[in-house]
Amino acid sequence: MAPRASWKGRMRLGEIAFGVKLYAAATTSDRVVLHMVNRRTGNRLRNELVDSGTGEAVADEDEVMGYELESGDYVLVEAEELAAAVPEADKTLPIDRFLPCGDVDTLYFDRPYFLAPADAASVEAFTLLREGMERAKVAALARTVLFRRVRTLLIRPHDAGFIANTLNFDYEVRSAEKAFADIPKIEIGGEMLELAEHIINTKLGDFDPESFDDRYDAALADLVRAKLEGRPPPRRKEAPREKVVDLMAALRESAKATKTRKTAPKAPRRKAG
């Protein structure tokens, strides 16, 4: 079954326009999920909006959004007022400009989407744009109303279509200055730097997302499976305590270990059949 599109509209470049669809490129739906349950009845609990002052449940017709002031009071915003004030969703995705693929700091990346043609009539123009961008090695910046907010998307060729990343707004991205303010400036060089470079070079490899493991999700699955099978719940192994060691000595030991692994003879492969 084909995935359900998150958004449908028309991509526009000058006088060229064609239909496109956005599909979520990442999902958390396959994670192990735990729910809050009434221990006594076994029934699942549901959320209920209550008044923070009276503690009483609030009827649907009395629920309204509000902006909190410094005084603690709220400016009430009705749903109709909000709908009339937000940008109109005209379902167009106009390309603003093209830029080299590596020019956008990944710090601004928000959510990834697959961008595909909406119908057979759009395939030719869609493919022309994709091929042209791939040949020029550029990405496109485009803006549209997505889920009630004007969002900027970075669009890059990917396989037979595009990857479209929504981008964080500038005010949402924090400066690294405060996070790194307490790091003192020190000079590193000589044998220490050479050993570090050697260890890094022995660890060079390829990006392989299949090798990433979600230990939290796996632990939840093992816990649920054990309880279903009537086994004692598994317990995590305690991590060994870190020892305070001399940095230079640790670098030498690490370099020695990687050299030993590199020169060790490989075990013969078992013949098939």
Side-chain angles (χ1 to χ4, degrees):
M1 181 182 295
R4 183 179 178 182
S6 303
W7 181 90
K8 298 179 183 178
R10 293 185 69 76
M11 195 168 182
R12 184 179 298 279
L13 175 60
E15 298 301 316
I16 303 172
F18 48 91
V20 291
K21 295 179 180 179
L22 280 178
Y23 298 95
T27 178
T28 59
S29 61
D30 292 334
R31 291 179 179 175
V32 176
V33 178
L34 300 179
H35 299 287
M36 295 300 296
V37 179
N38 185 333
R39 187 192 302 275
R40 184 172 56 82
T41 65
N43 297 327
R44 183 174 171 179
L45 303 180
R46 61 180 176 84
N47 291 324
E48 189 174 42
L49 295 179
V50 298
D51 188 297
S52 61
T54 66
E56 298 178 356
V58 179
D60 291 346
E61 61 270 19
D62 292 328
E63 295 174 7
V64 64
M65 289 176 285
Y67 177 81
E68 187 175 9
L69 303 174
E70 291 185 5
S71 63
D73 296 325
Y74 289 85
V75 176
L76 302 186
V77 178
E78 302 292 341
E80 312 84 61
E81 295 173 330
L82 181 60
V86 298
E88 183 180 4
D90 59 2
K91 297 294 183 180
T92 60
L93 185 60
I95 294 177
D96 181 53
R97 70 181 77 102
F98 296 101
L99 68 166
C101 287
D103 272 14
V104 178
D105 191 331
T106 55
L107 189 64
Y108 285 86
F109 282 22
D110 182 24
R111 292 181 179 275
Y113 295 88
F114 295 125
L115 185 65
D119 47 51
S122 302
V123 172
E124 185 178 20
F126 179 94
T127 304
L128 174 63
L129 179 62
R130 198 205 73 82
E131 295 293 329
M133 288 175 58
E134 185 171 54
R135 180 172 296 187
K137 299 188 184 307
V138 295
L141 283 179
R143 290 202 298 175
T144 190
V145 176
L146 198 62
F147 313 125
R148 300 181 70 177
R149 297 177 71 94
V150 176
R151 300 303 304 267
T152 300
L153 292 93
L154 180 73
I155 301 169
R156 296 166 292 161
H158 181 81
D159 290 342
F162 291 103
I163 287 288
N165 277 91
T166 51
L167 300 180
N168 292 316
F169 294 103
D170 187 55
Y171 72 85
E172 294 176 319
V173 176
R174 295 179 174 178
S175 170
E177 187 176 349
K178 291 184 178 179
F180 301 152
D182 295 334
I183 301 177
K185 293 182 179 180
I186 59 174
E187 293 293 330
I188 298 290
E191 183 187 2
M192 186 177 289
L193 188 56
E194 290 175 2
L195 285 170
E197 290 175 345
H198 169 73
I199 296 169
I200 291 170
N201 287 330
T202 61
K203 289 285 188 177
L204 289 177
D206 298 320
F207 178 70
D208 180 16
E210 291 186 2
S211 65
F212 305 160
D213 59 331
D214 187 342
R215 297 183 181 181
Y216 178 81
D217 197 74
L220 282 183
D222 289 343
L223 173 59
V224 173
R225 192 179 301 114
K227 294 182 75 69
L228 284 172
E229 297 172 356
R231 295 185 284 107
R235 299 184 65 85
R236 67 173 180 270
K237 296 179 180 178
E238 293 297 328
R241 293 184 178 182
E242 292 288 339
K243 296 180 180 179
V244 179
V245 296
D246 177 72
L247 180 57
M248 179 61 80
L251 283 168
R252 287 172 176 158
E253 286 298 318
S254 297
K256 187 188 301 182
T258 55
K259 185 177 181 180
T260 302
R261 286 196 296 269
K262 192 174 181 180
T263 57
K266 294 183 179 179
R269 292 184 178 181
R270 181 181 297 176
K271 294 183 180 180

